[in-house]
Amino acid sequence: MTAAQRLALQYVLLFGATGVSLPFAGLWLSSRGLSGAQIGTLLAVPMLARIITGPLLAVWADGFRLRRTPIALLGVVMTLGYGAAGLVDGYLAWAACWFVGATAMGILVPLTDVLNLRLAGRLGYTFALPRAFGSVAFVAANMIMGAMLLTMPADAIIVWLVVASLGLAVVAVLALPPEQVADGEPLRGRERFRGLGRLVRDPTFMIAIFAIGAVQAAHAYQYGFSAILWKAEGISEAVTGQLWAFGVVAEIALMWLFEPWRRRVGISPWSMLVVGAAAAVLRWSAMALAPPLWMLWPLQALHALTFAATFLAGIQIVEQLAPRDSQTAGQMLSSVLSAGVLIGLATAASGTLFDRYGAGGYWAMAAMAAAGLLAALPLRRQLARERGIGAR
């Protein structure tokens, strides 16, 4: 197998797990007798805690000689966390076990992305190609688990997560390439924390990851309340599923078809970020008007820009701004902001927005995306001038 194929297998297992955890975790917890408020709190805590756990685990991961080692160890931790959740009883015990499993899963994404970036840069393949297999696995996991739950108990969710997590650990050990963390010996712990501190004190880096995170976090209302809003408008659950699948298909198409072409012609990741942010402002503004079904299809197709283009731009921007020995820390800080703090706060606010304004709550998401766009515009020119990052 080539390095790209090995990374694709890792992404399939990783997103095969998240494709079950994200939509069905609440269902399993509900089957344990937990209330909506208890479920919401249990699921939100690992996301919000990433502001602490993310940087700490990133610094820890950079202390190994090979990038695959912490990936394998976190796969084991994820297995133990979700496996224990299926064996214990009581809210605090479930919360503790879920925290362990979800925290390990959360850092596995940026760790795998960093490894993919390094190998893609060294071997010449397109970063987005292995990553797109993860998006395919995410959709497949949604559909397979949904079908399984028609005849199987909710415990099938935990079994799936444990098997996928263990598979992650095994693939990391046996299949992932032995890419070095650093060119020489790994930095000592104090030096790694200093590298993290330099990134935090770099205003250009922090504004850049805010711009990326704001555009990504603006998806919070869509993730939490689109199905409820569409059902109230008379759109069936089946069509809702088709709309979601259509958005992911558009995301995959961008990664497989557009991204290789973009790299050949030299379009800057900053241009992708600006386009993704502008598309997000358009998408969420249109959604705030409660558009008819025919308009939802092109709006869902914009997911290719609002999510996929922004994600790919963010990965490459962080890679360009962070020193080689702080790559994991840089990607983790970006992930903490977008997939942790900002989306956690946006999700928490979305409930109140939904109760008060219905579809009008999307205006807040459009404003968040606009904030990301405003942050990105001057940075694009500044970095093209000061750091040599292209501005096409």
Side-chain angles (χ1 to χ4, degrees), residues 214-227:
V215 179
Q216 292 289 24
H219 291 80
Y221 206 72
Q222 175 83 350
Y223 293 160
F225 296 99
S226 61

Side-chain angles (χ1 to χ4, degrees), residues 202-212 268-271 273-274 313-314 316-322 375-392:
D202 182 346
T204 299
F205 179 82
M206 293 305 295
I207 293 173
I209 66 171
F210 168 78
I212 298 160
S268 164
W270 288 97
S271 297
L273 175 58
V274 170
Q316 294 167 54
I317 288 165
V318 171
E319 182 191 27
Q320 291 171 326
L321 295 182
L377 285 172
L379 279 173
R380 181 168 176 251
R381 293 191 297 269
Q382 177 183 344
L383 286 164
R385 182 175 61 253
E386 295 182 0
R387 303 191 183 188
I389 297 175
R392 288 186 58 177

Side-chain angles (χ1 to χ4, degrees), residues 8 16 18 65 77 81 95-96 103 134 148 184 188 205 252 255 282 295 310 319 327 331 334 348-349 364 375 389:
T18 59
R65 188 175 64 87
V77 172
T103 298
M148 289 173 61
R188 294 182 179 181
F205 179 82
I252 295 167
M255 290 188 177
L282 173 64
M295 191 180 293
T310 303
E319 182 191 27
Q327 285 288 305
Q331 297 294 349
S334 182
I389 297 175

Side-chain angles (χ1 to χ4, degrees), residues 96-122:
C97 294
W98 202 270
F99 181 88
V100 171
T103 298
M105 179 187 286
I107 196 173
L108 276 168
V109 175
L111 286 182
T112 306
D113 285 339
V114 169
L115 176 58
N116 189 16
L117 275 170
R118 302 310 305 172
L119 290 168
R122 184 164 59 82

Side-chain angles (χ1 to χ4, degrees), residues 144-201:
I144 293 170
M145 181 52 64
M148 289 173 61
L149 291 174
L150 293 175
T151 57
M152 300 177 69
D155 285 337
I157 298 165
I158 291 294
V159 174
W160 180 292
L161 290 174
V162 170
V163 171
S165 303
L166 187 59
L168 278 168
V170 172
V171 167
V173 172
L174 299 180
L176 288 185
E179 183 73 7
Q180 300 277 340
V181 171
D183 293 330
E185 288 296 317
L187 296 176
R188 294 182 179 181
R190 183 178 298 177
E191 294 170 325
R192 297 199 302 277
F193 274 105
R194 286 174 181 165
L196 179 65
R198 283 192 294 271
L199 290 174
V200 173
R201 292 191 300 271

